[in-house]
Amino acid sequence: MDIPNDRKDHKIPIVRLGGVSIFSGFIISNSVFFIISKLDGDSILDSKLFFTIIIGSIIFFLIGLAEDLLENIDPFLRLFIQFAFTFLIWSQGLRINGISLDIFGNSYNNLIFSDFISIIFTFIFIVGIVNALNWIDGLDGLAGGISIISLTTMTFIISPSYIFLAFSLIGSCAAFLRFNSHPASIIMGDSGSYLLGFSLASLSIIYSSSSNTQNLPGIVNLVAIVFLLFIPLIDMVRVIFTRIINGFSPFYPDKIHFHHVLRDKGFNYKKIIFIFYFFSIITCMMASMLVSQT
């Protein structure tokens, strides 16, 4: 159970294992998809990267589930575990190998990373997105709704091998929102936000890589990624810098996230959700335009 405090939206204890339902829908649907594809002789799921994303999603779900069940795991230990498993995922091919400078179809060369720089960028990106989505999950329906918007945007351009991964998460989140909308009867907890955060991070690498003209794996359009995940990213960056400037740890619990600020200014739940969803749709449309033009 998640116990209410002055930082949380709900006023009574609420079950925080909603991530289990999102994970179940994700795994069951992809398992059925895999079986049907194999029976049809379809090789669409033979990609090593496809299964790396599945395994990574399971790992980050379990990390979040441990936090939901055990509570109060040291944040630096949790961060170390996330980095350790991200290295394992990087070694299996899910990585940022460089940045595309061909942002607006200007045919600039790509900035290619060495393995060391690739590891650093992949670490920061995957762990950053996982925690950004976790931090923004402070209002009923917020993290789930933003995830649906970003995932839906990716389905228009991402390669066919990964479309079903996105659709399975969209379906799971949509069903979950039925019970997570205000007033929520269940919240996704760390298990759900970690699962969605890793899935968004990994699929956005593939999504933005599809825009480079040379079709090089792992060469990402950084601007497109920033727009695709703008709300969680800008909230995380702002919170971290504000805490450091005020002399606190980046992990210090407080009430300075965007949804806290809007609530303190008198905005009700519906208005806050509308603002977040509206700007997510706008920034995701910008990401889509950037990818389609390159």
Coordinates of all heavy atoms in Angstrom, one line a residue, residues 16-20 22-23 26 52-83 85-86 89 94 125-138 143-144 147 151 169 173 176 187-203 229 232 236 251:
R16 N -0.2 0.0 -4.8 CA 0.7 0.6 -5.7 C 1.4 -0.5 -6.6 O 2.5 -0.3 -7.0 CB 1.8 1.4 -5.0 CG 2.7 0.5 -4.0 CD 3.8 1.4 -3.4 NE 4.5 0.6 -2.5 CZ 5.1 1.1 -1.4 NH1 5.0 2.4 -1.2 NH2 5.8 0.4 -0.6
L17 N 0.7 -1.6 -6.8 CA 1.2 -2.6 -7.7 C 0.5 -2.7 -9.0 O 0.4 -3.7 -9.7 CB 1.1 -4.0 -7.0 CG 1.9 -4.2 -5.7 CD1 1.7 -5.6 -5.1 CD2 3.4 -4.0 -6.1
G18 N 0.1 -1.5 -9.5 CA -0.6 -1.5 -10.8 C 0.4 -1.8 -11.9 O 0.0 -2.2 -13.0
G19 N 1.7 -1.6 -11.7 CA 2.7 -2.0 -12.7 C 2.6 -3.5 -13.0 O 3.0 -3.9 -14.2
V20 N 2.2 -4.3 -12.1 CA 2.0 -5.7 -12.4 C 1.0 -6.0 -13.5 O 1.2 -6.9 -14.3 CB 1.6 -6.5 -11.1 CG1 1.4 -8.0 -11.4 CG2 2.7 -6.4 -10.0
I22 N 0.1 -3.8 -15.9 CA 0.7 -3.3 -17.2 C 1.7 -4.3 -17.7 O 1.7 -4.6 -18.9 CB 1.4 -1.9 -16.9 CG1 0.4 -0.9 -16.5 CG2 2.1 -1.5 -18.2 CD1 1.0 0.5 -16.1
F23 N 2.6 -4.8 -16.8 CA 3.6 -5.8 -17.2 C 2.9 -7.1 -17.7 O 3.3 -7.7 -18.7 CB 4.5 -6.1 -16.0 CG 5.4 -7.2 -16.3 CD1 6.6 -7.0 -17.0 CD2 5.2 -8.5 -15.8 CE1 7.5 -8.0 -17.3 CE2 6.2 -9.5 -16.0 CZ 7.3 -9.3 -16.7
F26 N 1.6 -6.6 -21.2 CA 2.7 -6.4 -22.1 C 3.3 -7.8 -22.4 O 3.5 -8.1 -23.6 CB 3.8 -5.5 -21.4 CG 5.1 -5.5 -22.2 CD1 5.2 -4.8 -23.4 CD2 6.2 -6.1 -21.6 CE1 6.4 -4.7 -24.0 CE2 7.4 -6.0 -22.2 CZ 7.5 -5.3 -23.5
T52 N 16.2 -8.2 -26.7 CA 16.9 -7.4 -25.7 C 16.0 -6.4 -25.0 O 16.1 -6.2 -23.8 CB 18.1 -6.7 -26.4 OG1 19.0 -7.6 -27.0 CG2 18.8 -5.8 -25.4
I53 N 15.1 -5.8 -25.8 CA 14.1 -4.9 -25.2 C 13.2 -5.6 -24.3 O 12.9 -5.1 -23.2 CB 13.4 -4.2 -26.3 CG1 14.3 -3.3 -27.2 CG2 12.2 -3.3 -25.8 CD1 13.6 -2.7 -28.4
I54 N 12.7 -6.8 -24.7 CA 11.9 -7.6 -23.8 C 12.5 -7.9 -22.5 O 12.0 -7.7 -21.4 CB 11.4 -8.9 -24.5 CG1 10.5 -8.6 -25.7 CG2 10.7 -9.8 -23.6 CD1 9.2 -8.1 -25.4
I55 N 13.8 -8.5 -22.6 CA 14.5 -8.8 -21.4 C 14.8 -7.6 -20.5 O 14.6 -7.6 -19.3 CB 15.9 -9.5 -21.7 CG1 15.6 -10.8 -22.5 CG2 16.7 -9.8 -20.5 CD1 14.8 -11.8 -21.7
G56 N 15.2 -6.5 -21.2 CA 15.4 -5.3 -20.4 C 14.2 -4.8 -19.7 O 14.2 -4.3 -18.6
S57 N 13.0 -4.9 -20.4 CA 11.7 -4.5 -19.8 C 11.4 -5.3 -18.5 O 11.0 -4.8 -17.5 CB 10.6 -4.6 -20.8 OG 10.8 -3.8 -21.9
I58 N 11.7 -6.6 -18.6 CA 11.5 -7.5 -17.5 C 12.4 -7.1 -16.3 O 12.0 -7.0 -15.1 CB 11.7 -9.0 -17.9 CG1 10.7 -9.4 -18.9 CG2 11.7 -9.9 -16.6 CD1 10.9 -10.8 -19.5
I59 N 13.7 -6.8 -16.6 CA 14.6 -6.5 -15.6 C 14.2 -5.2 -14.9 O 14.2 -5.2 -13.6 CB 16.1 -6.3 -16.2 CG1 16.6 -7.7 -16.6 CG2 17.0 -5.7 -15.2 CD1 17.9 -7.6 -17.4
F60 N 13.9 -4.2 -15.6 CA 13.6 -2.9 -15.0 C 12.2 -3.0 -14.2 O 12.0 -2.3 -13.2 CB 13.6 -1.8 -16.0 CG 14.9 -1.2 -16.2 CD1 15.8 -1.7 -17.1 CD2 15.4 -0.1 -15.4 CE1 17.1 -1.2 -17.3 CE2 16.6 0.4 -15.6 CZ 17.5 -0.1 -16.5
F61 N 11.3 -3.8 -14.7 CA 10.1 -4.0 -14.0 C 10.4 -4.7 -12.6 O 9.8 -4.3 -11.6 CB 9.1 -5.0 -14.8 CG 8.0 -5.6 -14.0 CD1 7.0 -4.8 -13.6 CD2 8.1 -6.9 -13.6 CE1 5.9 -5.4 -12.8 CE2 7.1 -7.5 -12.8 CZ 6.0 -6.7 -12.4
L62 N 11.3 -5.7 -12.6 CA 11.6 -6.3 -11.4 C 12.3 -5.4 -10.4 O 12.1 -5.5 -9.2 CB 12.5 -7.6 -11.7 CG 11.7 -8.7 -12.4 CD1 12.7 -9.8 -12.7 CD2 10.6 -9.3 -11.5
I63 N 13.2 -4.5 -10.9 CA 13.8 -3.5 -10.0 C 12.8 -2.7 -9.4 O 12.8 -2.4 -8.2 CB 14.8 -2.7 -10.8 CG1 16.0 -3.5 -11.4 CG2 15.4 -1.5 -10.0 CD1 16.9 -2.8 -12.3
G64 N 11.8 -2.2 -10.2 CA 10.8 -1.4 -9.6 C 9.9 -2.1 -8.6 O 9.5 -1.6 -7.6
L65 N 9.6 -3.4 -9.0 CA 8.8 -4.2 -8.1 C 9.4 -4.4 -6.7 O 8.8 -4.4 -5.7 CB 8.5 -5.6 -8.7 CG 7.6 -6.5 -8.0 CD1 6.2 -5.9 -7.8 CD2 7.5 -7.9 -8.7
A66 N 10.8 -4.6 -6.7 CA 11.5 -4.7 -5.5 C 11.4 -3.5 -4.6 O 11.2 -3.6 -3.4 CB 13.0 -5.0 -5.8
E67 N 11.4 -2.3 -5.3 CA 11.2 -1.1 -4.5 C 9.8 -0.9 -4.0 O 9.6 -0.5 -2.9 CB 11.5 0.1 -5.5 CG 11.2 1.5 -4.9 CD 12.0 1.9 -3.7 OE1 13.1 1.3 -3.5 OE2 11.6 2.8 -3.0
D68 N 8.8 -1.4 -4.8 CA 7.4 -1.3 -4.3 C 7.2 -2.2 -3.1 O 6.4 -1.9 -2.2 CB 6.5 -1.7 -5.4 CG 6.4 -0.7 -6.5 OD1 6.6 0.5 -6.2 OD2 6.1 -1.1 -7.7
L69 N 7.8 -3.4 -3.1 CA 7.6 -4.4 -2.0 C 8.5 -4.1 -0.8 O 8.0 -4.2 0.3 CB 7.9 -5.8 -2.6 CG 6.9 -6.3 -3.7 CD1 7.4 -7.6 -4.2 CD2 5.5 -6.3 -3.2
L70 N 9.7 -3.7 -1.0 CA 10.7 -3.5 0.1 C 10.6 -2.1 0.7 O 10.9 -1.9 1.9 CB 12.1 -3.9 -0.3 CG 12.3 -5.3 -0.9 CD1 13.7 -5.6 -1.4 CD2 11.9 -6.4 0.2
E71 N 10.4 -1.1 -0.2 CA 10.4 0.3 0.2 C 11.8 0.8 0.7 O 12.6 0.0 1.2 CB 9.4 0.5 1.3 CG 7.9 0.3 0.9 CD 7.0 0.7 2.0 OE1 7.0 1.9 2.4 OE2 6.2 -0.2 2.5
N72 N 12.0 2.1 0.5 CA 13.1 2.8 1.1 C 14.5 2.1 0.7 O 15.4 2.1 1.6 CB 13.0 2.9 2.6 CG 11.7 3.7 3.0 OD1 11.3 4.6 2.3 ND2 11.1 3.2 4.0
I73 N 14.6 1.6 -0.5 CA 15.9 1.1 -0.9 C 16.8 2.4 -1.2 O 16.3 3.4 -1.7 CB 15.8 0.3 -2.2 CG1 15.0 -1.0 -2.0 CG2 17.2 0.0 -2.8 CD1 14.8 -1.8 -3.2
D74 N 18.0 2.3 -0.7 CA 18.9 3.5 -0.9 C 18.9 3.9 -2.3 O 19.2 3.1 -3.2 CB 20.3 3.1 -0.4 CG 21.3 4.3 -0.5 OD1 21.3 5.0 0.4 OD2 22.0 4.4 -1.6
P75 N 18.7 5.2 -2.6 CA 18.6 5.7 -4.0 C 19.9 5.5 -4.8 O 19.9 5.2 -6.0 CB 18.3 7.2 -3.9 CG 18.6 7.5 -2.5 CD 18.4 6.3 -1.6
F76 N 21.1 5.5 -4.1 CA 22.3 5.3 -4.8 C 22.5 3.9 -5.1 O 23.1 3.5 -6.2 CB 23.5 5.9 -4.0 CG 23.5 7.4 -3.8 CD1 23.0 8.0 -2.7 CD2 23.9 8.2 -4.9 CE1 23.0 9.4 -2.6 CE2 23.9 9.6 -4.8 CZ 23.4 10.2 -3.6
L77 N 22.0 3.0 -4.3 CA 22.1 1.5 -4.6 C 21.2 1.2 -5.7 O 21.5 0.5 -6.7 CB 21.7 0.7 -3.3 CG 21.5 -0.8 -3.6 CD1 22.8 -1.4 -4.0 CD2 21.0 -1.5 -2.3
R78 N 20.0 1.8 -5.7 CA 19.0 1.6 -6.8 C 19.6 2.1 -8.1 O 19.5 1.5 -9.2 CB 17.7 2.3 -6.5 CG 16.6 2.0 -7.4 CD 15.3 2.5 -6.9 NE 15.2 4.0 -6.7 CZ 15.0 4.6 -5.6 NH1 14.8 3.9 -4.5 NH2 15.0 5.9 -5.5
L79 N 20.3 3.3 -8.1 CA 20.9 3.9 -9.3 C 22.0 3.0 -9.8 O 22.2 2.8 -11.0 CB 21.5 5.2 -8.9 CG 21.7 6.2 -10.1 CD1 20.4 6.5 -10.9 CD2 22.4 7.5 -9.6
F80 N 22.8 2.4 -8.9 CA 23.9 1.5 -9.2 C 23.4 0.3 -9.9 O 23.9 -0.2 -11.0 CB 24.7 1.1 -8.0 CG 25.8 0.0 -8.3 CD1 27.0 0.4 -8.9 CD2 25.5 -1.3 -8.0 CE1 27.9 -0.6 -9.2 CE2 26.5 -2.3 -8.3 CZ 27.7 -1.9 -8.9
I81 N 22.3 -0.3 -9.4 CA 21.7 -1.5 -10.0 C 21.2 -1.2 -11.4 O 21.3 -1.9 -12.4 CB 20.5 -2.0 -9.1 CG1 21.1 -2.5 -7.8 CG2 19.8 -3.1 -9.8 CD1 20.0 -2.9 -6.8
Q82 N 20.6 0.0 -11.6 CA 20.1 0.4 -12.9 C 21.2 0.6 -13.9 O 21.1 0.1 -15.0 CB 19.3 1.8 -12.8 CG 18.0 1.7 -12.0 CD 17.4 3.0 -11.8 OE1 17.9 4.0 -12.3 NE2 16.3 3.0 -11.1
F83 N 22.3 1.2 -13.5 CA 23.5 1.3 -14.3 C 24.1 -0.1 -14.7 O 24.5 -0.3 -15.9 CB 24.6 2.2 -13.7 CG 24.3 3.6 -13.8 CD1 24.3 4.5 -12.7 CD2 24.2 4.2 -15.1 CE1 24.1 5.8 -12.8 CE2 24.0 5.6 -15.2 CZ 23.9 6.4 -14.1
F85 N 22.6 -3.0 -14.9 CA 21.8 -3.8 -15.9 C 21.8 -3.0 -17.3 O 21.6 -3.6 -18.3 CB 20.4 -4.0 -15.4 CG 20.3 -5.1 -14.4 CD1 20.1 -4.9 -13.1 CD2 20.5 -6.4 -14.8 CE1 20.0 -6.0 -12.2 CE2 20.4 -7.5 -14.0 CZ 20.2 -7.3 -12.6
T86 N 21.9 -1.7 -17.2 CA 22.0 -1.0 -18.5 C 23.2 -1.3 -19.3 O 23.2 -1.4 -20.5 CB 22.0 0.6 -18.2 OG1 20.8 0.9 -17.6 CG2 22.1 1.3 -19.5
I89 N 22.5 -4.5 -21.0 CA 21.6 -4.3 -22.2 C 22.5 -3.6 -23.3 O 22.3 -4.0 -24.5 CB 20.5 -3.4 -21.7 CG1 19.5 -4.1 -20.8 CG2 19.7 -2.8 -23.0 CD1 18.6 -3.3 -20.0
L94 N 21.7 -2.8 -27.6 CA 20.7 -1.6 -27.5 C 21.6 -0.5 -27.0 O 21.8 -0.3 -25.8 CB 19.6 -2.0 -26.5 CG 18.6 -0.8 -26.3 CD1 17.9 -0.5 -27.6 CD2 17.6 -1.2 -25.2
F125 N 21.1 8.2 -20.8 CA 19.8 8.3 -21.4 C 18.8 7.3 -20.9 O 17.7 7.7 -20.4 CB 20.0 8.0 -22.9 CG 18.7 8.1 -23.7 CD1 18.0 9.3 -23.9 CD2 18.1 7.0 -24.2 CE1 16.8 9.4 -24.5 CE2 16.9 7.0 -24.9 CZ 16.2 8.3 -25.0
I126 N 19.2 6.0 -20.8 CA 18.2 5.0 -20.3 C 17.9 5.2 -18.9 O 16.7 5.3 -18.5 CB 18.7 3.6 -20.6 CG1 18.8 3.3 -22.1 CG2 17.9 2.6 -19.9 CD1 19.3 1.9 -22.4
V127 N 18.9 5.4 -18.0 CA 18.6 5.6 -16.6 C 17.9 6.9 -16.4 O 17.0 7.0 -15.5 CB 19.9 5.5 -15.8 CG1 19.7 5.8 -14.3 CG2 20.5 4.1 -15.9
G128 N 18.2 7.9 -17.2 CA 17.6 9.2 -17.0 C 16.1 9.1 -17.4 O 15.3 9.7 -16.6
I129 N 15.8 8.5 -18.5 CA 14.3 8.4 -18.9 C 13.6 7.6 -17.9 O 12.4 7.9 -17.5 CB 14.2 7.8 -20.3 CG1 14.8 8.7 -21.3 CG2 12.7 7.5 -20.6 CD1 14.2 10.1 -21.4
V130 N 14.2 6.4 -17.4 CA 13.5 5.6 -16.4 C 13.1 6.4 -15.2 O 12.0 6.4 -14.7 CB 14.4 4.4 -16.0 CG1 13.8 3.7 -14.7 CG2 14.5 3.4 -17.1
N131 N 14.0 7.2 -14.7 CA 13.8 8.0 -13.5 C 12.9 9.2 -13.7 O 12.2 9.6 -12.9 CB 15.1 8.4 -12.8 CG 15.8 7.2 -12.1 OD1 15.4 6.8 -11.0 ND2 16.8 6.6 -12.8
A132 N 13.1 9.8 -14.9 CA 12.2 10.9 -15.3 C 10.7 10.5 -15.3 O 9.9 11.3 -14.7 CB 12.6 11.5 -16.6
L133 N 10.4 9.4 -15.8 CA 9.0 8.9 -15.8 C 8.6 8.6 -14.4 O 7.4 8.8 -14.1 CB 8.8 7.8 -16.8 CG 7.4 7.5 -17.2 CD1 7.0 8.6 -18.2 CD2 7.1 6.2 -17.8
N134 N 9.5 8.0 -13.6 CA 9.1 7.7 -12.3 C 8.8 8.9 -11.5 O 7.9 9.0 -10.7 CB 10.3 6.9 -11.6 CG 10.1 6.6 -10.2 OD1 10.6 7.2 -9.3 ND2 9.2 5.6 -9.9
W135 N 9.6 10.0 -11.7 CA 9.4 11.2 -10.9 C 8.1 11.9 -11.3 O 7.5 12.6 -10.5 CB 10.6 12.2 -11.2 CG 11.8 11.8 -10.4 CD1 12.0 10.6 -9.7 CD2 13.0 12.5 -10.3 NE1 13.2 10.6 -9.1 CE2 13.9 11.7 -9.5 CE3 13.5 13.7 -10.8 CZ2 15.2 12.1 -9.2 CZ3 14.8 14.1 -10.5 CH2 15.6 13.4 -9.7
I136 N 7.7 11.8 -12.6 CA 6.5 12.6 -13.0 C 5.2 11.8 -12.7 O 4.1 12.3 -12.8 CB 6.6 12.8 -14.5 CG1 5.8 14.1 -14.9 CG2 6.1 11.6 -15.3 CD1 6.0 14.6 -16.3
D137 N 5.4 10.6 -12.2 CA 4.2 9.8 -11.8 C 3.7 10.2 -10.4 O 3.7 9.4 -9.4 CB 4.6 8.3 -11.8 CG 3.4 7.4 -11.4 OD1 2.3 7.8 -11.8 OD2 3.7 6.3 -10.9
G138 N 3.3 11.5 -10.3 CA 2.8 12.0 -9.0 C 1.4 12.4 -9.0 O 0.9 13.0 -8.1
A143 N 1.6 9.7 -15.7 CA 2.6 9.0 -16.4 C 2.1 8.1 -17.5 O 2.7 7.9 -18.6 CB 3.4 8.2 -15.4
G144 N 0.9 7.4 -17.2 CA 0.3 6.5 -18.2 C -0.1 7.2 -19.4 O 0.1 6.8 -20.5
S147 N 2.8 8.4 -21.5 CA 3.4 7.2 -22.2 C 2.6 6.9 -23.4 O 3.2 6.5 -24.4 CB 3.5 6.1 -21.2 OG 4.4 6.3 -20.1
L151 N 4.2 6.8 -27.1 CA 4.3 5.5 -27.8 C 3.4 5.5 -29.1 O 3.8 5.0 -30.1 CB 3.7 4.4 -26.9 CG 4.6 4.0 -25.7 CD1 3.8 3.2 -24.7 CD2 5.8 3.2 -26.2
L169 N 2.1 -2.0 -25.1 CA 2.2 -1.1 -24.0 C 1.1 0.0 -24.0 O 0.5 0.3 -23.0 CB 3.5 -0.3 -24.0 CG 4.7 -1.2 -23.6 CD1 6.0 -0.5 -24.0 CD2 4.7 -1.5 -22.1
C173 N -1.5 0.3 -21.0 CA -1.7 1.6 -20.3 C -3.1 2.1 -20.4 O -3.6 2.6 -19.4 CB -0.7 2.6 -20.9 SG 1.0 2.4 -20.4
F176 N -5.2 0.2 -18.0 CA -4.8 0.6 -16.6 C -5.4 2.0 -16.2 O -5.8 2.2 -15.1 CB -3.3 0.6 -16.5 CG -2.8 1.1 -15.2 CD1 -2.9 0.4 -14.0 CD2 -2.1 2.4 -15.1 CE1 -2.5 0.8 -12.8 CE2 -1.7 2.8 -13.8 CZ -1.9 2.1 -12.7
I187 N -2.4 2.6 -8.2 CA -1.4 3.4 -8.9 C -0.3 2.4 -9.4 O -0.2 1.3 -9.0 CB -0.7 4.4 -8.0 CG1 -0.1 3.8 -6.7 CG2 -1.7 5.5 -7.6 CD1 0.6 4.8 -5.8
M188 N 0.5 2.8 -10.4 CA 1.4 1.9 -11.1 C 2.6 1.6 -10.3 O 3.3 0.6 -10.5 CB 1.8 2.4 -12.5 CG 2.7 3.7 -12.5 SD 3.3 4.1 -14.1 CE 1.8 4.4 -15.0
G189 N 3.0 2.5 -9.4 CA 4.2 2.2 -8.5 C 5.5 2.3 -9.4 O 5.5 2.6 -10.6
D190 N 6.6 2.0 -8.7 CA 7.9 2.0 -9.4 C 8.0 0.9 -10.5 O 8.6 1.1 -11.5 CB 9.0 1.8 -8.4 CG 9.2 3.0 -7.5 OD1 8.7 4.1 -7.9 OD2 9.9 3.0 -6.5
S191 N 7.3 -0.2 -10.2 CA 7.3 -1.3 -11.2 C 6.8 -0.9 -12.5 O 7.3 -1.2 -13.6 CB 6.6 -2.6 -10.7 OG 5.2 -2.3 -10.5
G192 N 5.7 -0.1 -12.5 CA 5.1 0.3 -13.8 C 5.9 1.5 -14.4 O 6.1 1.5 -15.6
S193 N 6.3 2.4 -13.6 CA 7.0 3.6 -14.2 C 8.4 3.1 -14.7 O 8.9 3.7 -15.7 CB 7.2 4.7 -13.1 OG 7.9 4.2 -12.0
Y194 N 9.1 2.2 -14.1 CA 10.4 1.7 -14.5 C 10.2 0.9 -15.8 O 11.0 1.0 -16.8 CB 11.0 0.8 -13.5 CG 11.7 1.5 -12.4 CD1 11.4 2.8 -12.1 CD2 12.6 0.9 -11.5 CE1 12.0 3.5 -11.0 CE2 13.2 1.5 -10.5 CZ 12.9 2.8 -10.2 OH 13.5 3.5 -9.2
L195 N 9.1 0.1 -15.9 CA 8.8 -0.7 -17.1 C 8.6 0.3 -18.3 O 9.1 0.2 -19.4 CB 7.6 -1.6 -16.9 CG 7.0 -2.2 -18.2 CD1 7.9 -3.1 -18.9 CD2 5.7 -2.9 -17.8
L196 N 7.7 1.3 -18.1 CA 7.4 2.2 -19.1 C 8.6 3.1 -19.5 O 8.8 3.4 -20.7 CB 6.2 3.1 -18.7 CG 4.8 2.4 -18.6 CD1 3.8 3.3 -18.0 CD2 4.4 1.8 -19.9
G197 N 9.3 3.5 -18.5 CA 10.5 4.4 -18.7 C 11.5 3.7 -19.6 O 12.0 4.2 -20.5
F198 N 11.8 2.4 -19.2 CA 12.8 1.7 -20.1 C 12.3 1.4 -21.5 O 13.0 1.6 -22.4 CB 13.1 0.3 -19.4 CG 14.0 -0.5 -20.3 CD1 15.4 -0.3 -20.4 CD2 13.5 -1.5 -21.1 CE1 16.2 -1.0 -21.2 CE2 14.3 -2.3 -21.9 CZ 15.6 -2.0 -22.0
S199 N 11.0 1.1 -21.6 CA 10.4 0.8 -22.9 C 10.4 2.1 -23.8 O 10.8 2.0 -25.0 CB 9.0 0.3 -22.8 OG 9.0 -0.9 -22.0
L200 N 10.1 3.2 -23.2 CA 10.1 4.5 -23.9 C 11.6 4.8 -24.3 O 11.8 5.3 -25.5 CB 9.6 5.6 -23.1 CG 8.0 5.7 -22.9 CD1 7.7 6.7 -21.8 CD2 7.4 6.0 -24.2
A201 N 12.5 4.6 -23.4 CA 13.9 4.9 -23.8 C 14.4 4.0 -24.9 O 15.0 4.5 -25.9 CB 14.8 4.7 -22.5
S202 N 14.2 2.7 -24.8 CA 14.7 1.8 -25.8 C 14.0 2.0 -27.2 O 14.7 2.0 -28.2 CB 14.5 0.4 -25.4 OG 13.2 0.1 -25.0
L203 N 12.7 2.1 -27.2 CA 12.0 2.3 -28.4 C 12.3 3.7 -29.1 O 12.3 3.8 -30.3 CB 10.5 2.2 -28.2 CG 10.0 0.8 -27.9 CD1 8.5 0.8 -27.6 CD2 10.2 -0.2 -29.1
L229 N 10.0 13.1 -25.6 CA 9.9 12.8 -24.2 C 10.1 14.1 -23.4 O 10.7 14.2 -22.3 CB 11.0 11.8 -23.8 CG 10.9 10.5 -24.5 CD1 12.2 9.7 -24.2 CD2 9.7 9.7 -24.1
P232 N 8.6 14.7 -19.3 CA 9.4 14.1 -18.3 C 10.8 14.6 -18.2 O 11.4 14.8 -17.1 CB 9.4 12.6 -18.6 CG 8.3 12.4 -19.6 CD 8.1 13.7 -20.3
M236 N 12.5 16.7 -15.0 CA 13.6 16.1 -14.3 C 14.8 17.0 -14.2 O 15.4 17.2 -13.1 CB 14.0 14.8 -14.9 CG 15.2 14.1 -14.2 SD 15.8 12.6 -15.0 CE 16.4 13.2 -16.5
F251 N 18.2 13.6 -5.1 CA 17.1 12.7 -4.7 C 16.3 13.1 -3.5 O 15.5 12.4 -3.0 CB 17.8 11.3 -4.4 CG 18.6 10.7 -5.5 CD1 20.0 10.8 -5.4 CD2 18.0 10.1 -6.6 CE1 20.7 10.2 -6.5 CE2 18.7 9.6 -7.6 CZ 20.1 9.6 -7.5

